[in-house]
Amino acid sequence: MSSLAGCSSISPAEDGKTSPLDEQRARELAEQFAPTLYFDAHEKWFPTDPRVYETEQDGEPIVDGFDAFDGYTERAKESDSPPDPTVFYHGVGYEDSPLAVIQFWYYSTFDQFTTNFHWHDWEVLHVFVDTDTGEPQLYVASSHSGTVPNNEFLDPAPGRIPRILSELGSHSSALSVNDVADRFQRFSLEDTFADITNSSIEGLEDIINIPIAYGLPRDEGSRLPYVVPELDGEPIYEHDRLPSIEPEDLIAEELTIRSFADLTSPPGDLPARATGTVFQYGETDRDDAVAYDLVPTSEVEHITDFTGPQLSFEFAIPDFAEDMLASHITTAGVPWEQARYDDPAEDITESNHRSTLADRYDAISQPPSINTVIAGITETVTSEDAPDGEGLTTQNLGVESVALLESEPEALPTFRGVAVARDVPSGDHRLTVNGPGVEPHSESVRVDDEASGPTTAGVEGEIPLVAREHSMKLEIDPEGADSELNAMAIEDDFAGRIYDAPLPDRDGVYLHQGGAYTTEVRDTDDEIGAYRVNPTDQGRVRLSEPRTGKASLATYLADVATETSAAVAALAAADGETDSEPGGGSENAIQGLARALEAVGEAAQRAADQARAGDRGRADESLRTVQERLGRVQTRLAEASEQLPNTLENANERRLEQLNRRADQARDSSKV
């Protein structure tokens, strides 16, 4: 499995061959571009020298995870500064080309994050340099693997030392190339420029202007709760091979939760990022900086493996009958056994950057076609425009979440609420999203090599999650249906369509208890069925043997019309209104609206009964009556608008639109 922490790369392109730079030239470039590294104030594991923890196993030199983690922690407690601060470098040149790359590899003994943790963590910064001019061409800072877009900057200013902002715990590397040394800036501002030149995804309204790179979420105002690593079902600090490890030796408690399921709502009080320790090479310009050694990777290439048992964390996957738990943990690799070690261009995740280098240097190939899955993650909350408990809207989730393509065992952190998975094989996938304090979301996603752009998950690229304290579960069981169902969608009266995905089998979807839902099913003949779903106190609704055709749609019409009529009639009763004025006067407008809706419900129920009896002709006649009466509802709603509360008027308008649309579908259906 490829690693979340910069330990993997995307599929190889046909770039030119490389060869190692001679020792003197590699050293010159390493000293010229040696980065300054800024770490979070809560960071525990700084770049160090793994050779200190080297042992022998079966005659081979290895670094054992227990030894390194425990040994580093013990030494850190005994010292006022990080033990053995070290950055390794490796230089290669593309043959018959002036393009060379100096790589900076930094090793940490442990990785603790929201989506992953593992022993041993190797991160890398690639500096592409034109050896004819001496000018840097491109910086590529490793993110959470080639699947998550790296942080890249094209044509950095010559003479400016690259700066790395290391993410707390995971050590994902963000770039800092502008005048604000220890802050990540995704967008250009009036007085300075952005820290990345990654491009945006076109075609998604809420994501279109966001440069697609991981960045540094906690430096951009996002919240990230960290999870406690477990080994054999127990917290890692309880293991007998880690005597030096105490709970306080992990990420600070104020940033940590035991599991996502411990929370009933997304956390809102997690501290933002603050700069702590700074690593610099050579003469430092700050009194508190730690000077690190610059060592060629050739001095550690003899180590054959970095070992340690797989750690775990819970990842909930919504299913029809239950929530299954699965462990998705990736492992570290040895840098010198990775393809990008010899061909750094493999780590270029921004196609425009690769294309630019390909135009300048024959050694770099044009970018390959890469399938990308993308979605914005939001949260469903009750809408102020809806009656109490009968309508939703979506808003920023406020915390980052975790996405997993089950066909690819690699959990992906979001950035700015955006989930991006690159280099996804064509075919069908199951995408699951987890977040702290929210219920999981899961849906089928089909990726097509012939698609002109990214594959969007969710509805038009949006996946709304629901806080656990407000959730209910809708279970869909197509077994026993009268046709082969292949798709399902869910709409809320106010939020609109919030779920739209294939239905290959039984499914389970978490919804907000404050919504009023329409569940649509579709079969292989493109026939449609619809069902009204309202939350219950049980927190669970099961839709068994769903049907498509006129009977299903007409029943839905009857349910919604009757429900809405009852709400309007209840308002009239609460106001003490009567059916008519004394002496036989005209009917009150609100009562007239209630009666018109009731009449729609009666006609729709007749159509449903006739369709179930197989009488297509009479069912269609009753549906024509429904449509005529819906026109009368429109008139009555206009007459009653000044007497209706705004929320109830809004609900009537939205349901009337839904009723008209479903009535047309019922009339057009060839299946009774």
Side-chain angles (χ1 to χ4, degrees), residues 451-528:
S452 58
T455 299
T456 56
V459 178
E460 297 182 352
E462 180 181 6
I463 293 177
L465 305 180
V466 55
R468 187 167 287 108
E469 62 184 336
H470 301 305
S471 69
M472 60 164 281
K473 191 174 185 182
L474 173 63
E475 298 171 345
I476 311 293
D477 186 1
E479 186 176 347
D482 61 346
S483 59
E484 184 180 352
L485 302 179
N486 63 357
M488 177 184 71
I490 299 173
E491 298 178 8
D492 172 74
D493 286 354
F494 283 76
R497 188 158 291 207
I498 58 176
Y499 187 87
D500 193 349
L503 184 64
D505 201 349
R506 301 189 301 177
D507 201 359
V509 181
Y510 284 103
L511 303 173
H512 196 291
Q513 292 176 348
Y517 301 103
T518 298
T519 299
E520 176 187 287
V521 293
R522 191 179 295 265
D523 63 23
T524 53
D525 294 324
D526 210 28
E527 291 285 350
I528 295 171

Side-chain angles (χ1 to χ4, degrees), residues 541-571:
V541 174
R542 177 170 294 186
L543 183 59
S544 299
E545 300 182 6
R547 305 296 174 105
T548 57
K550 292 183 188 294
S552 169
L553 290 164
T555 301
Y556 169 83
L557 292 170
D559 290 344
V560 176
T562 301
E563 172 191 337
T564 310
S565 173
V568 174
L571 173 66

Side-chain angles (χ1 to χ4, degrees), residues 200-264:
S200 305
I201 293 286
E202 298 181 359
L204 294 178
E205 181 177 352
D206 294 332
I207 304 175
I208 190 170
N209 293 321
I210 299 178
I212 301 302
Y214 181 69
L216 193 61
R218 287 184 65 236
D219 211 25
E220 299 181 75
S222 297
R223 297 293 183 262
L224 273 172
Y226 286 70
V227 183
V228 176
E230 293 186 354
L231 181 58
D232 300 327
E234 299 295 335
I236 194 169
Y237 49 75
E238 295 183 0
H239 200 279
D240 57 7
R241 287 195 61 188
L242 297 171
S244 300
I245 307 300
E246 303 292 339
E248 57 268 22
D249 297 317
L250 301 180
I251 300 300
E253 185 178 0
E254 59 263 36
L255 280 161
T256 307
I257 58 176
R258 287 289 286 118
S259 73
F260 283 178
D262 285 347
L263 304 175
T264 58

Side-chain angles (χ1 to χ4, degrees), residues 230-538:
E230 293 186 354
L231 181 58
D232 300 327
E234 299 295 335
I236 194 169
Y237 49 75
E238 295 183 0
H239 200 279
D240 57 7
R241 287 195 61 188
L242 297 171
S244 300
I245 307 300
E246 303 292 339
E248 57 268 22
D249 297 317
L250 301 180
I251 300 300
E253 185 178 0
E254 59 263 36
L255 280 161
T256 307
I257 58 176
R258 287 289 286 118
S259 73
F260 283 178
D262 285 347
L263 304 175
T264 58
S265 62
D269 57 352
L270 298 170
R273 178 185 176 274
T275 297
T277 301
V278 177
F279 272 37
Q280 285 187 324
Y281 175 69
E283 294 185 7
T284 66
D285 56 4
R286 37 191 303 164
D287 295 336
D288 60 345
V290 174
Y292 64 78
D293 290 335
L294 199 55
V295 179
T297 56
S298 58
E299 295 192 14
V300 288
E301 287 183 6
H302 65 281
I303 299 174
T304 59
D305 201 4
F306 291 80
T307 67
Q310 182 166 308
L311 306 172
S312 65
F313 72 103
E314 293 182 349
F315 198 96
I317 301 174
D319 200 356
F320 173 76
E322 61 185 347
D323 289 339
M324 300 182 295
L325 297 180
S327 296
H328 294 273
I329 290 291
T330 54
T331 57
V334 178
W336 37 94
E337 293 181 359
Q338 300 175 31
R340 64 179 174 170
Y341 188 70
D342 294 322
D343 182 11
E346 286 204 8
D347 234 12
I348 302 174
T349 57
E350 168 57 57
S351 60
N352 289 340
H353 294 163
R354 175 180 271 277
S355 180
T356 299
L357 289 190
D359 291 341
R360 296 175 184 176
Y361 306 99
D362 292 339
I364 304 299
S365 67
Q366 289 291 339
S369 177
I370 297 292
N371 294 327
T372 300
V373 175
I374 186 169
I377 312 302
T378 59
E379 179 185 10
T380 52
V381 295
T382 55
S383 171
E384 294 179 354
D385 297 329
D388 186 30
E390 296 184 29
L392 306 171
T393 188
T394 60
Q395 66 179 20
N396 178 20
L397 180 58
V399 294
E400 299 298 343
S401 51
V402 184
L404 175 74
L405 280 169
E406 292 177 36
S407 55
E408 299 290 324
E410 185 171 350
L412 310 171
T414 62
F415 54 89
R416 295 183 69 89
V418 179
V420 177
R422 299 180 71 259
D423 200 18
V424 179
S426 63
D428 293 327
H429 302 265
R430 188 90 176 155
L431 175 68
T432 301
V433 180
N434 274 207
V438 295
E439 298 287 8
H441 169 99
S442 193
E443 64 178 68
S444 297
V445 177
R446 174 164 293 178
V447 176
D448 187 354
D449 285 337
E450 304 301 320
S452 58
T455 299
T456 56
V459 178
E460 297 182 352
E462 180 181 6
I463 293 177
L465 305 180
V466 55
R468 187 167 287 108
E469 62 184 336
H470 301 305
S471 69
M472 60 164 281
K473 191 174 185 182
L474 173 63
E475 298 171 345
I476 311 293
D477 186 1
E479 186 176 347
D482 61 346
S483 59
E484 184 180 352
L485 302 179
N486 63 357
M488 177 184 71
I490 299 173
E491 298 178 8
D492 172 74
D493 286 354
F494 283 76
R497 188 158 291 207
I498 58 176
Y499 187 87
D500 193 349
L503 184 64
D505 201 349
R506 301 189 301 177
D507 201 359
V509 181
Y510 284 103
L511 303 173
H512 196 291
Q513 292 176 348
Y517 301 103
T518 298
T519 299
E520 176 187 287
V521 293
R522 191 179 295 265
D523 63 23
T524 53
D525 294 324
D526 210 28
E527 291 285 350
I528 295 171
Y531 294 85
R532 187 62 166 173
V533 175
N534 289 313
T536 68
D537 293 337
Q538 289 76 29

